[in-house]
Amino acid sequence: MIRIVLWLLGGVLLGGVIHIVTILTLPLLAEETAWTRVAALEADNRMLILPPVLPGEPNPLRLDPELAYGLCRVDLRDGPAYLSGVLPDAFWSLAIFNPAGIVTYSTTNRDGIGQTLEVGIFNAAQTRLLAQQQLDIAEGLLVVESRSDDLFVLVRLAPPHAAMRARFEAELSEVECGPRR
Amino acid sequence: MRFVLLLLCSIAVALGVGFGLSYYALTDGRLFGAAQIGPWTAWPDAGAPDPNPYTRSHLTREAALQLGRSEGLQFVAAADSDGAPLDLACSYRLDGRMPVSTFWTLVAVDAGWVNLAAPGTEAALRSSHVVRANDGAIRVHVGRRLSPYNWLELAGEGPFSLVVTLYDTTALSGFGSGNDTLPSITREDCA
C-alpha cells in the first residue's frame, strides 16, 4: 500500500515539475504572439491607425471599440526613436511593447503632459551617450530607456463621442514616429 | 507487471497534474496570477514591465495588446454572481459601483473575443453615457431583451463574457479603502 502511495506521490511531484516547465517555456515556444500579430501591419516608423472594432468581426488584438489606436514600430538600431505630435483634448495613453508582447513603459496624458506627445526612446547605449555628452534635452521631452532595440508603441486615444472619431484618428495619424531625420 | 502498472499510473498522474494545473493556472488563474472581485477576474500584473511567470504565460496565450500598468486594468466575467455561466439566452443586470477611474467601458464578447453588440447599436457602453442613481451607483441591463435605462443590447446566442476596462484607475493599487468593488451580475429572465 505504501509503495502505491509513494508511486502516486512521485507522479504528483513529477507533475509539479511538468507544470513549472510548461509555465516557464510557454512564452518561448509560442509561435503567434502580439508581436507576430502586428508584424504584418505596415507600421514601420509611422503611426498606423488600427481599423475600428466592429460587432461580429474578429478582434484578435482585443481592442476596445470605444478607442482609437495608433501603432508604430521602431528599431532603435537606426538611432533613438521619437514620437512627436499634438493630440486632441481627450484621454490618451501610450504603451511601449517589447517583442515578447510585454508593456515595458506606459503613461497617460494625466501625468502632466497635456495634449503634447513628445517622447524619445533610447536604448541603454544611447542613454549613456546622452548622459555623457550632457546634451540639453528639450523641455517636455519624455526620455524612455528601452532594454530591447525592437519595439512598438501603441497610443490609445479616447474620442468622447463616436462623431469625433474620424477627426481624432486623423490627428493621431499625424503624430511623427521614428528616428529623427 | 506490477512495476509497469505503477509506472504507467504514476506517469498518468504526472501528466494530468502537470498539464491540468498549467491549463487551470492560465485560464481561471485564481490561485496564481489573477485577482478576483465577485465574478470579475483581472490579471493585475499584466501591464507590468516584469510580470510574474504565470502572467507572462497568460499574456502569451492571449497575444493581445494589453493595457500598461498606468493605463488601466481589464476585468472579465464569464459567470454571474451565482457562478452560472453567462448565456445570451438570458438577460442580466449589473448593480453596484466601479472603482475610481477616468472612464470605463463595458463590452460583451464571445470566446473568440468577437463583439456581440446588436447591429446598429454602440459596440460598447461607456461610463459617460450611463445614467446613475442619486448615490452614484449604476444599474446596467445586458442582453437581447428590451430593457430600461442603461441597456447594452446584444445579439446572437451561446455563452459570452462581459469585459470592463477601467482607464487610468486606482483599482487593485491598494489606494483607498472600499475602492476595489465591481457591480454584481444578476440573472433575470431567460428566453
Side-chain angles (χ1 to χ4, degrees), chain A residues 7 11 15 19 23 30 37 55-56 61-62 64 66 93 95 97 101-103 106-108 110 156 159, chain B residues 3 6-7 10 14 18 22 49 54 56-57 60 62-63 65-66 70-71 105 113-115 117 126 167-168:
Chain A
W7 272 97
H19 168 69
I23 295 293
R37 281 181 178 177
L61 295 172
R62 302 194 175 186
D64 191 328
E66 282 288 308
S93 68
F97 288 76
I102 286 164
V103 180
S106 65
T107 186
T108 71
R110 284 209 320 131
R156 293 174 163 91
Chain B
F3 172 77
L6 280 172
L7 187 68
S10 153
S22 305
Y54 287 108
R56 193 179 279 261
S57 289
T60 308
E62 288 196 327
L65 298 179
Q66 77 277 13
S70 60
E71 295 184 285
T105 63
W113 214 262
V114 173
N115 192 295
R126 188 183 164 129
Y167 290 95
D168 193 16

mmCIF file of all heavy atoms in Angstrom, chain A residues 7 11 15 19 23 30 37 55-56 61-62 64 66 93 95 97 101-103 106-108 110 156 159, chain B residues 3 6-7 10 14 18 22 49 54 56-57 60 62-63 65-66 70-71 105 113-115 117 126 167-168:
data_model
loop_
_atom_site.group_PDB
_atom_site.id
_atom_site.type_symbol
_atom_site.label_atom_id
_atom_site.label_comp_id
_atom_site.label_asym_id
_atom_site.label_seq_id
_atom_site.Cartn_x
_atom_site.Cartn_y
_atom_site.Cartn_z
ATOM 1 N N TRP A 7 4.469 5.811 -5.198
ATOM 2 C CA TRP A 7 4.472 5.973 -6.662
ATOM 3 C C TRP A 7 3.587 7.149 -7.078
ATOM 4 O O TRP A 7 3.958 7.955 -7.930
ATOM 5 C CB TRP A 7 3.971 4.683 -7.334
ATOM 6 C CG TRP A 7 5.063 3.695 -7.589
ATOM 7 C CD1 TRP A 7 5.386 2.626 -6.805
ATOM 8 C CD2 TRP A 7 5.977 3.676 -8.685
ATOM 9 N NE1 TRP A 7 6.454 1.941 -7.332
ATOM 10 C CE2 TRP A 7 6.833 2.570 -8.498
ATOM 11 C CE3 TRP A 7 6.159 4.484 -9.798
ATOM 12 C CZ2 TRP A 7 7.850 2.246 -9.391
ATOM 13 C CZ3 TRP A 7 7.164 4.154 -10.691
ATOM 14 C CH2 TRP A 7 8.000 3.058 -10.477
ATOM 15 N N GLY A 11 4.422 10.684 -8.850
ATOM 16 C CA GLY A 11 3.704 11.216 -10.018
ATOM 17 C C GLY A 11 3.307 12.658 -9.806
ATOM 18 O O GLY A 11 3.473 13.501 -10.695
ATOM 19 N N GLY A 15 4.537 15.833 -11.791
ATOM 20 C CA GLY A 15 3.529 16.738 -12.352
ATOM 21 C C GLY A 15 3.855 18.187 -12.027
ATOM 22 O O GLY A 15 3.720 19.062 -12.882
ATOM 23 N N HIS A 19 4.537 21.104 -14.653
ATOM 24 C CA HIS A 19 3.795 22.362 -14.570
ATOM 25 C C HIS A 19 4.735 23.562 -14.650
ATOM 26 O O HIS A 19 4.532 24.482 -15.445
ATOM 27 C CB HIS A 19 2.996 22.383 -13.260
ATOM 28 C CG HIS A 19 2.423 23.715 -12.912
ATOM 29 N ND1 HIS A 19 1.404 24.280 -13.649
ATOM 30 C CD2 HIS A 19 2.729 24.605 -11.942
ATOM 31 C CE1 HIS A 19 1.103 25.455 -13.123
ATOM 32 N NE2 HIS A 19 1.883 25.675 -12.092
ATOM 33 N N ILE A 23 4.916 26.329 -17.690
ATOM 34 C CA ILE A 23 4.667 27.765 -17.492
ATOM 35 C C ILE A 23 5.875 28.587 -17.946
ATOM 36 O O ILE A 23 5.731 29.631 -18.575
ATOM 37 C CB ILE A 23 4.355 28.052 -15.999
ATOM 38 C CG1 ILE A 23 3.040 27.377 -15.585
ATOM 39 C CG2 ILE A 23 4.305 29.544 -15.717
ATOM 40 C CD1 ILE A 23 1.795 27.926 -16.232
ATOM 41 N N ALA A 30 5.775 29.862 -27.943
ATOM 42 C CA ALA A 30 4.600 30.372 -28.667
ATOM 43 C C ALA A 30 4.998 30.877 -30.056
ATOM 44 O O ALA A 30 6.002 31.568 -30.205
ATOM 45 C CB ALA A 30 3.963 31.490 -27.866
ATOM 46 N N ARG A 37 1.490 39.242 -34.499
ATOM 47 C CA ARG A 37 0.199 39.730 -34.989
ATOM 48 C C ARG A 37 0.304 41.144 -35.541
ATOM 49 O O ARG A 37 -0.436 41.508 -36.442
ATOM 50 C CB ARG A 37 -0.849 39.685 -33.873
ATOM 51 C CG ARG A 37 -1.383 38.295 -33.676
ATOM 52 C CD ARG A 37 -2.438 38.210 -32.608
ATOM 53 N NE ARG A 37 -2.917 36.836 -32.541
ATOM 54 C CZ ARG A 37 -3.801 36.407 -31.667
ATOM 55 N NH1 ARG A 37 -4.304 37.239 -30.775
ATOM 56 N NH2 ARG A 37 -4.200 35.154 -31.674
ATOM 57 N N PRO A 55 -18.906 45.108 -34.300
ATOM 58 C CA PRO A 55 -19.588 43.920 -33.776
ATOM 59 C C PRO A 55 -19.628 42.810 -34.815
ATOM 60 O O PRO A 55 -19.834 43.061 -36.001
ATOM 61 C CB PRO A 55 -21.001 44.429 -33.474
ATOM 62 C CG PRO A 55 -20.851 45.894 -33.299
ATOM 63 C CD PRO A 55 -19.722 46.311 -34.198
ATOM 64 N N GLY A 56 -19.380 41.596 -34.373
ATOM 65 C CA GLY A 56 -19.457 40.439 -35.260
ATOM 66 C C GLY A 56 -18.186 40.164 -36.036
ATOM 67 O O GLY A 56 -18.106 39.191 -36.772
ATOM 68 N N LEU A 61 -6.589 41.263 -31.439
ATOM 69 C CA LEU A 61 -5.753 42.060 -30.536
ATOM 70 C C LEU A 61 -6.534 42.560 -29.330
ATOM 71 O O LEU A 61 -5.997 43.244 -28.472
ATOM 72 C CB LEU A 61 -5.139 43.242 -31.297
ATOM 73 C CG LEU A 61 -4.146 42.831 -32.395
ATOM 74 C CD1 LEU A 61 -3.735 44.020 -33.227
ATOM 75 C CD2 LEU A 61 -2.916 42.161 -31.797
ATOM 76 N N ARG A 62 -7.822 42.198 -29.271
ATOM 77 C CA ARG A 62 -8.681 42.520 -28.134
ATOM 78 C C ARG A 62 -8.730 44.022 -27.856
ATOM 79 O O ARG A 62 -8.489 44.474 -26.728
ATOM 80 C CB ARG A 62 -8.234 41.747 -26.889
ATOM 81 C CG ARG A 62 -8.253 40.271 -27.164
ATOM 82 C CD ARG A 62 -8.144 39.463 -25.919
ATOM 83 N NE ARG A 62 -8.286 38.043 -26.231
ATOM 84 C CZ ARG A 62 -8.340 37.102 -25.326
ATOM 85 N NH1 ARG A 62 -8.247 37.401 -24.060
ATOM 86 N NH2 ARG A 62 -8.489 35.839 -25.682
ATOM 87 N N ASP A 64 -10.440 47.801 -27.606
ATOM 88 C CA ASP A 64 -11.682 48.365 -27.079
ATOM 89 C C ASP A 64 -12.358 49.160 -28.201
ATOM 90 O O ASP A 64 -11.744 50.056 -28.776
ATOM 91 C CB ASP A 64 -11.327 49.284 -25.895
ATOM 92 C CG ASP A 64 -12.563 49.707 -25.127
ATOM 93 O OD1 ASP A 64 -13.624 49.848 -25.759
ATOM 94 O OD2 ASP A 64 -12.458 49.907 -23.913
ATOM 95 N N GLU A 66 -14.343 51.504 -28.187
ATOM 96 C CA GLU A 66 -14.538 52.931 -27.907
ATOM 97 C C GLU A 66 -13.297 53.758 -28.226
ATOM 98 O O GLU A 66 -13.367 54.987 -28.283
ATOM 99 C CB GLU A 66 -14.879 53.129 -26.421
ATOM 100 C CG GLU A 66 -16.306 52.803 -26.070
ATOM 101 C CD GLU A 66 -17.290 53.851 -26.595
ATOM 102 O OE1 GLU A 66 -17.079 55.034 -26.327
ATOM 103 O OE2 GLU A 66 -18.256 53.459 -27.266
ATOM 104 N N SER A 93 -3.334 57.574 -23.926
ATOM 105 C CA SER A 93 -2.278 56.897 -23.177
ATOM 106 C C SER A 93 -1.310 56.264 -24.157
ATOM 107 O O SER A 93 -1.622 56.111 -25.344
ATOM 108 C CB SER A 93 -2.867 55.840 -22.248
ATOM 109 O OG SER A 93 -3.410 54.787 -23.001
ATOM 110 N N ALA A 95 1.752 53.155 -24.641
ATOM 111 C CA ALA A 95 2.399 51.953 -24.118
ATOM 112 C C ALA A 95 3.490 51.519 -25.083
ATOM 113 O O ALA A 95 3.310 51.583 -26.293
ATOM 114 C CB ALA A 95 1.371 50.834 -23.948
ATOM 115 N N PHE A 97 5.710 48.335 -26.184
ATOM 116 C CA PHE A 97 5.739 46.869 -26.106
ATOM 117 C C PHE A 97 7.090 46.368 -26.599
ATOM 118 O O PHE A 97 7.614 46.866 -27.597
ATOM 119 C CB PHE A 97 4.657 46.262 -27.000
ATOM 120 C CG PHE A 97 3.255 46.433 -26.481
ATOM 121 C CD1 PHE A 97 2.602 47.644 -26.568
ATOM 122 C CD2 PHE A 97 2.573 45.359 -25.937
ATOM 123 C CE1 PHE A 97 1.310 47.800 -26.111
ATOM 124 C CE2 PHE A 97 1.277 45.492 -25.473
ATOM 125 C CZ PHE A 97 0.647 46.723 -25.552
ATOM 126 N N GLY A 101 5.819 41.008 -26.254
ATOM 127 C CA GLY A 101 4.444 41.454 -26.071
ATOM 128 C C GLY A 101 4.184 41.989 -24.670
ATOM 129 O O GLY A 101 3.054 42.026 -24.216
ATOM 130 N N ILE A 102 5.252 42.418 -24.004
ATOM 131 C CA ILE A 102 5.110 42.944 -22.644
ATOM 132 C C ILE A 102 5.269 44.456 -22.668
ATOM 133 O O ILE A 102 6.122 44.994 -23.375
ATOM 134 C CB ILE A 102 6.149 42.275 -21.723
ATOM 135 C CG1 ILE A 102 5.689 40.846 -21.455
ATOM 136 C CG2 ILE A 102 6.343 43.025 -20.427
ATOM 137 C CD1 ILE A 102 6.727 39.960 -20.910
ATOM 138 N N VAL A 103 4.417 45.123 -21.914
ATOM 139 C CA VAL A 103 4.482 46.583 -21.854
ATOM 140 C C VAL A 103 5.646 46.974 -20.958
ATOM 141 O O VAL A 103 5.636 46.716 -19.756
ATOM 142 C CB VAL A 103 3.174 47.169 -21.294
ATOM 143 C CG1 VAL A 103 3.254 48.680 -21.240
ATOM 144 C CG2 VAL A 103 2.000 46.746 -22.149
ATOM 145 N N SER A 106 4.570 52.645 -19.789
ATOM 146 C CA SER A 106 3.272 53.203 -20.158
ATOM 147 C C SER A 106 3.027 54.476 -19.377
ATOM 148 O O SER A 106 3.544 54.659 -18.278
ATOM 149 C CB SER A 106 2.154 52.194 -19.895
ATOM 150 O OG SER A 106 2.040 51.935 -18.518
ATOM 151 N N THR A 107 2.276 55.370 -19.980
ATOM 152 C CA THR A 107 1.919 56.614 -19.306
ATOM 153 C C THR A 107 0.596 57.099 -19.870
ATOM 154 O O THR A 107 0.135 56.603 -20.904
ATOM 155 C CB THR A 107 3.027 57.673 -19.481
ATOM 156 O OG1 THR A 107 2.689 58.809 -18.681
ATOM 157 C CG2 THR A 107 3.150 58.115 -20.920
ATOM 158 N N THR A 108 -0.008 58.053 -19.206
ATOM 159 C CA THR A 108 -1.237 58.653 -19.729
ATOM 160 C C THR A 108 -1.060 60.168 -19.787
ATOM 161 O O THR A 108 -0.101 60.705 -19.228
ATOM 162 C CB THR A 108 -2.449 58.361 -18.829
ATOM 163 O OG1 THR A 108 -2.296 59.106 -17.625
ATOM 164 C CG2 THR A 108 -2.557 56.890 -18.500
ATOM 165 N N ARG A 110 -2.549 62.277 -18.266
ATOM 166 C CA ARG A 110 -2.787 62.923 -16.985
ATOM 167 C C ARG A 110 -1.492 63.163 -16.225
ATOM 168 O O ARG A 110 -1.485 63.873 -15.231
ATOM 169 C CB ARG A 110 -3.727 62.077 -16.127
ATOM 170 C CG ARG A 110 -5.158 62.184 -16.589
ATOM 171 C CD ARG A 110 -6.098 61.987 -15.440
ATOM 172 N NE ARG A 110 -5.636 60.920 -14.555
ATOM 173 C CZ ARG A 110 -5.549 61.062 -13.250
ATOM 174 N NH1 ARG A 110 -5.862 62.180 -12.672
ATOM 175 N NH2 ARG A 110 -5.137 60.039 -12.515
ATOM 176 N N ARG A 156 -3.271 54.987 -27.343
ATOM 177 C CA ARG A 156 -4.722 54.854 -27.233
ATOM 178 C C ARG A 156 -5.311 56.242 -27.064
ATOM 179 O O ARG A 156 -4.875 56.993 -26.207
ATOM 180 C CB ARG A 156 -5.087 54.005 -26.018
ATOM 181 C CG ARG A 156 -4.688 52.567 -26.105
ATOM 182 C CD ARG A 156 -4.984 51.894 -24.774
ATOM 183 N NE ARG A 156 -5.001 50.452 -24.903
ATOM 184 C CZ ARG A 156 -3.955 49.673 -24.726
ATOM 185 N NH1 ARG A 156 -2.783 50.206 -24.427
ATOM 186 N NH2 ARG A 156 -4.065 48.371 -24.852
ATOM 187 N N PRO A 159 -11.900 59.181 -28.113
ATOM 188 C CA PRO A 159 -12.816 60.240 -28.526
ATOM 189 C C PRO A 159 -14.056 60.230 -27.631
ATOM 190 O O PRO A 159 -14.618 59.161 -27.396
ATOM 191 C CB PRO A 159 -13.184 59.882 -29.973
ATOM 192 C CG PRO A 159 -12.546 58.594 -30.281
ATOM 193 C CD PRO A 159 -11.819 58.091 -29.088
ATOM 194 N N PHE B 3 5.158 -3.492 -11.493
ATOM 195 C CA PHE B 3 6.032 -2.319 -11.613
ATOM 196 C C PHE B 3 5.624 -1.440 -12.800
ATOM 197 O O PHE B 3 5.497 -0.225 -12.683
ATOM 198 C CB PHE B 3 7.478 -2.797 -11.773
ATOM 199 C CG PHE B 3 8.431 -1.693 -12.100
ATOM 200 C CD1 PHE B 3 8.861 -0.816 -11.096
ATOM 201 C CD2 PHE B 3 8.879 -1.511 -13.390
ATOM 202 C CE1 PHE B 3 9.727 0.211 -11.397
ATOM 203 C CE2 PHE B 3 9.748 -0.476 -13.693
ATOM 204 C CZ PHE B 3 10.175 0.388 -12.702
ATOM 205 N N LEU B 6 2.407 0.395 -12.050
ATOM 206 C CA LEU B 6 2.629 1.533 -11.154
ATOM 207 C C LEU B 6 3.304 2.688 -11.891
ATOM 208 O O LEU B 6 2.966 3.859 -11.699
ATOM 209 C CB LEU B 6 3.488 1.089 -9.964
ATOM 210 C CG LEU B 6 2.740 0.356 -8.851
ATOM 211 C CD1 LEU B 6 3.723 -0.196 -7.829
ATOM 212 C CD2 LEU B 6 1.752 1.287 -8.171
ATOM 213 N N LEU B 7 4.256 2.314 -12.749
ATOM 214 C CA LEU B 7 4.980 3.344 -13.505
ATOM 215 C C LEU B 7 4.010 4.106 -14.405
ATOM 216 O O LEU B 7 4.005 5.347 -14.447
ATOM 217 C CB LEU B 7 6.082 2.684 -14.336
ATOM 218 C CG LEU B 7 7.027 3.655 -15.039
ATOM 219 C CD1 LEU B 7 7.870 4.404 -14.020
ATOM 220 C CD2 LEU B 7 7.919 2.908 -16.025
ATOM 221 N N SER B 10 1.772 6.315 -12.388
ATOM 222 C CA SER B 10 2.479 7.493 -11.891
ATOM 223 C C SER B 10 2.708 8.509 -13.018
ATOM 224 O O SER B 10 2.574 9.724 -12.813
ATOM 225 C CB SER B 10 3.768 6.994 -11.273
ATOM 226 O OG SER B 10 4.729 7.915 -11.311
ATOM 227 N N ALA B 14 1.331 12.271 -13.264
ATOM 228 C CA ALA B 14 2.245 13.385 -13.524
ATOM 229 C C ALA B 14 1.741 14.244 -14.684
ATOM 230 O O ALA B 14 1.701 15.475 -14.584
ATOM 231 C CB ALA B 14 3.635 12.849 -13.836
ATOM 232 N N GLY B 18 0.475 17.943 -14.138
ATOM 233 C CA GLY B 18 1.328 18.951 -14.793
ATOM 234 C C GLY B 18 0.559 19.810 -15.772
ATOM 235 O O GLY B 18 0.545 21.035 -15.658
ATOM 236 N N SER B 22 -1.412 23.511 -15.240
ATOM 237 C CA SER B 22 -0.973 24.614 -16.101
ATOM 238 C C SER B 22 -2.175 25.228 -16.799
ATOM 239 O O SER B 22 -2.304 26.452 -16.893
ATOM 240 C CB SER B 22 0.024 24.106 -17.144
ATOM 241 O OG SER B 22 1.085 23.462 -16.507
ATOM 242 N N PRO B 49 6.194 45.860 -16.341
ATOM 243 C CA PRO B 49 7.331 45.605 -17.231
ATOM 244 C C PRO B 49 7.981 44.246 -16.985
ATOM 245 O O PRO B 49 8.631 43.709 -17.880
ATOM 246 C CB PRO B 49 8.298 46.742 -16.917
ATOM 247 C CG PRO B 49 7.772 47.443 -15.735
ATOM 248 C CD PRO B 49 6.375 47.026 -15.484
ATOM 249 N N TYR B 54 3.446 33.330 -14.422
ATOM 250 C CA TYR B 54 2.069 32.952 -14.773
ATOM 251 C C TYR B 54 1.434 34.019 -15.648
ATOM 252 O O TYR B 54 0.806 33.720 -16.663
ATOM 253 C CB TYR B 54 1.238 32.744 -13.505
ATOM 254 C CG TYR B 54 1.607 31.473 -12.781
ATOM 255 C CD1 TYR B 54 2.299 31.503 -11.590
ATOM 256 C CD2 TYR B 54 1.269 30.240 -13.326
ATOM 257 C CE1 TYR B 54 2.662 30.340 -10.950
ATOM 258 C CE2 TYR B 54 1.623 29.070 -12.685
ATOM 259 C CZ TYR B 54 2.317 29.124 -11.492
ATOM 260 O OH TYR B 54 2.668 27.965 -10.864
ATOM 261 N N ARG B 56 2.991 36.143 -17.453
ATOM 262 C CA ARG B 56 3.707 36.152 -18.738
ATOM 263 C C ARG B 56 3.141 35.094 -19.683
ATOM 264 O O ARG B 56 2.887 35.362 -20.860
ATOM 265 C CB ARG B 56 5.196 35.885 -18.466
ATOM 266 C CG ARG B 56 6.110 36.165 -19.607
ATOM 267 C CD ARG B 56 7.524 35.886 -19.176
ATOM 268 N NE ARG B 56 8.090 36.990 -18.424
ATOM 269 C CZ ARG B 56 8.894 37.895 -18.959
ATOM 270 N NH1 ARG B 56 9.232 37.814 -20.224
ATOM 271 N NH2 ARG B 56 9.378 38.868 -18.234
ATOM 272 N N SER B 57 2.898 33.900 -19.154
ATOM 273 C CA SER B 57 2.316 32.837 -19.976
ATOM 274 C C SER B 57 0.893 33.181 -20.381
ATOM 275 O O SER B 57 0.478 32.912 -21.506
ATOM 276 C CB SER B 57 2.311 31.512 -19.216
ATOM 277 O OG SER B 57 3.617 31.031 -19.094
ATOM 278 N N THR B 60 1.066 35.554 -23.186
ATOM 279 C CA THR B 60 1.454 34.863 -24.410
ATOM 280 C C THR B 60 0.260 34.141 -25.016
ATOM 281 O O THR B 60 0.060 34.159 -26.229
ATOM 282 C CB THR B 60 2.569 33.848 -24.107
ATOM 283 O OG1 THR B 60 3.597 34.516 -23.406
ATOM 284 C CG2 THR B 60 3.123 33.244 -25.370
ATOM 285 N N GLU B 62 -2.870 34.907 -24.732
ATOM 286 C CA GLU B 62 -3.834 35.853 -25.275
ATOM 287 C C GLU B 62 -3.305 36.538 -26.521
ATOM 288 O O GLU B 62 -4.067 36.834 -27.428
ATOM 289 C CB GLU B 62 -4.166 36.914 -24.228
ATOM 290 C CG GLU B 62 -5.022 36.373 -23.105
ATOM 291 C CD GLU B 62 -5.653 37.491 -22.313
ATOM 292 O OE1 GLU B 62 -5.017 38.545 -22.181
ATOM 293 O OE2 GLU B 62 -6.785 37.290 -21.850
ATOM 294 N N ALA B 63 -2.010 36.826 -26.561
ATOM 295 C CA ALA B 63 -1.381 37.533 -27.674
ATOM 296 C C ALA B 63 -2.168 38.783 -28.042
ATOM 297 O O ALA B 63 -2.429 39.051 -29.205
ATOM 298 C CB ALA B 63 -1.204 36.609 -28.872
ATOM 299 N N LEU B 65 -3.097 43.148 -27.189
ATOM 300 C CA LEU B 65 -2.437 44.382 -26.788
ATOM 301 C C LEU B 65 -3.016 44.807 -25.439
ATOM 302 O O LEU B 65 -4.008 45.516 -25.369
ATOM 303 C CB LEU B 65 -2.669 45.466 -27.848
ATOM 304 C CG LEU B 65 -2.103 45.140 -29.230
ATOM 305 C CD1 LEU B 65 -2.398 46.260 -30.200
ATOM 306 C CD2 LEU B 65 -0.599 44.906 -29.163
ATOM 307 N N GLN B 66 -2.392 44.317 -24.376
ATOM 308 C CA GLN B 66 -2.929 44.592 -23.047
ATOM 309 C C GLN B 66 -2.590 46.010 -22.611
ATOM 310 O O GLN B 66 -1.744 46.672 -23.206
ATOM 311 C CB GLN B 66 -2.407 43.574 -22.033
ATOM 312 C CG GLN B 66 -0.986 43.787 -21.561
ATOM 313 C CD GLN B 66 0.023 43.214 -22.525
ATOM 314 O OE1 GLN B 66 -0.282 42.877 -23.638
ATOM 315 N NE2 GLN B 66 1.266 43.122 -22.080
ATOM 316 N N SER B 70 -0.012 51.822 -15.925
ATOM 317 C CA SER B 70 -0.552 53.154 -15.637
ATOM 318 C C SER B 70 -1.727 53.490 -16.547
ATOM 319 O O SER B 70 -2.409 54.475 -16.328
ATOM 320 C CB SER B 70 0.544 54.211 -15.771
ATOM 321 O OG SER B 70 1.062 54.199 -17.062
ATOM 322 N N GLU B 71 -1.955 52.682 -17.565
ATOM 323 C CA GLU B 71 -3.068 52.981 -18.469
ATOM 324 C C GLU B 71 -4.403 52.500 -17.924
ATOM 325 O O GLU B 71 -5.427 53.139 -18.122
ATOM 326 C CB GLU B 71 -2.838 52.301 -19.819
ATOM 327 C CG GLU B 71 -1.650 52.806 -20.574
ATOM 328 C CD GLU B 71 -1.545 52.153 -21.927
ATOM 329 O OE1 GLU B 71 -1.140 50.980 -21.986
ATOM 330 O OE2 GLU B 71 -1.892 52.789 -22.919
ATOM 331 N N THR B 105 -15.288 51.285 -19.909
ATOM 332 C CA THR B 105 -16.165 50.786 -20.964
ATOM 333 C C THR B 105 -16.590 49.365 -20.611
ATOM 334 O O THR B 105 -15.872 48.638 -19.922
ATOM 335 C CB THR B 105 -15.468 50.761 -22.337
ATOM 336 O OG1 THR B 105 -14.364 49.857 -22.270
ATOM 337 C CG2 THR B 105 -14.976 52.125 -22.760
ATOM 338 N N TRP B 113 -13.453 36.522 -28.621
ATOM 339 C CA TRP B 113 -13.351 37.961 -28.401
ATOM 340 C C TRP B 113 -14.034 38.764 -29.519
ATOM 341 O O TRP B 113 -13.664 39.880 -29.836
ATOM 342 C CB TRP B 113 -11.885 38.375 -28.255
ATOM 343 C CG TRP B 113 -11.698 39.500 -27.286
ATOM 344 C CD1 TRP B 113 -11.570 40.819 -27.621
ATOM 345 C CD2 TRP B 113 -11.610 39.460 -25.851
ATOM 346 N NE1 TRP B 113 -11.416 41.578 -26.475
ATOM 347 C CE2 TRP B 113 -11.436 40.775 -25.381
ATOM 348 C CE3 TRP B 113 -11.671 38.426 -24.924
ATOM 349 C CZ2 TRP B 113 -11.316 41.094 -24.031
ATOM 350 C CZ3 TRP B 113 -11.552 38.747 -23.586
ATOM 351 C CH2 TRP B 113 -11.370 40.057 -23.149
ATOM 352 N N VAL B 114 -15.047 38.176 -30.158
ATOM 353 C CA VAL B 114 -15.843 38.908 -31.153
ATOM 354 C C VAL B 114 -16.909 39.701 -30.399
ATOM 355 O O VAL B 114 -17.603 39.153 -29.534
ATOM 356 C CB VAL B 114 -16.499 37.932 -32.159
ATOM 357 C CG1 VAL B 114 -17.450 38.670 -33.085
ATOM 358 C CG2 VAL B 114 -15.427 37.205 -32.946
ATOM 359 N N ASN B 115 -17.041 40.972 -30.732
ATOM 360 C CA ASN B 115 -18.006 41.834 -30.047
ATOM 361 C C ASN B 115 -19.431 41.387 -30.367
ATOM 362 O O ASN B 115 -19.765 41.113 -31.510
ATOM 363 C CB ASN B 115 -17.775 43.277 -30.501
ATOM 364 C CG ASN B 115 -18.512 44.263 -29.644
ATOM 365 O OD1 ASN B 115 -19.733 44.278 -29.624
ATOM 366 N ND2 ASN B 115 -17.773 45.074 -28.915
ATOM 367 N N ALA B 117 -22.369 43.101 -29.612
ATOM 368 C CA ALA B 117 -23.400 44.143 -29.612
ATOM 369 C C ALA B 117 -24.315 43.956 -30.808
ATOM 370 O O ALA B 117 -23.886 43.501 -31.879
ATOM 371 C CB ALA B 117 -22.738 45.510 -29.653
ATOM 372 N N ARG B 126 -20.173 53.124 -22.410
ATOM 373 C CA ARG B 126 -19.104 53.918 -21.828
ATOM 374 C C ARG B 126 -19.616 54.661 -20.607
ATOM 375 O O ARG B 126 -20.778 55.062 -20.567
ATOM 376 C CB ARG B 126 -18.637 54.900 -22.888
ATOM 377 C CG ARG B 126 -17.426 55.669 -22.545
ATOM 378 C CD ARG B 126 -17.166 56.628 -23.682
ATOM 379 N NE ARG B 126 -16.250 57.641 -23.247
ATOM 380 C CZ ARG B 126 -15.157 57.955 -23.926
ATOM 381 N NH1 ARG B 126 -14.897 57.371 -25.051
ATOM 382 N NH2 ARG B 126 -14.357 58.882 -23.486
ATOM 383 N N TYR B 167 -9.954 52.754 -17.318
ATOM 384 C CA TYR B 167 -8.793 53.511 -17.778
ATOM 385 C C TYR B 167 -8.323 54.438 -16.676
ATOM 386 O O TYR B 167 -9.130 55.137 -16.067
ATOM 387 C CB TYR B 167 -9.143 54.295 -19.047
ATOM 388 C CG TYR B 167 -9.347 53.359 -20.215
ATOM 389 C CD1 TYR B 167 -10.611 52.913 -20.560
ATOM 390 C CD2 TYR B 167 -8.257 52.870 -20.922
ATOM 391 C CE1 TYR B 167 -10.798 52.009 -21.594
ATOM 392 C CE2 TYR B 167 -8.426 51.972 -21.956
ATOM 393 C CZ TYR B 167 -9.696 51.549 -22.289
ATOM 394 O OH TYR B 167 -9.867 50.653 -23.304
ATOM 395 N N ASP B 168 -7.011 54.427 -16.477
ATOM 396 C CA ASP B 168 -6.398 55.330 -15.502
ATOM 397 C C ASP B 168 -7.050 55.124 -14.137
ATOM 398 O O ASP B 168 -7.643 56.040 -13.578
ATOM 399 C CB ASP B 168 -6.585 56.770 -16.005
ATOM 400 C CG ASP B 168 -5.712 57.744 -15.245
ATOM 401 O OD1 ASP B 168 -4.784 57.303 -14.586
ATOM 402 O OD2 ASP B 168 -5.993 58.954 -15.327
#
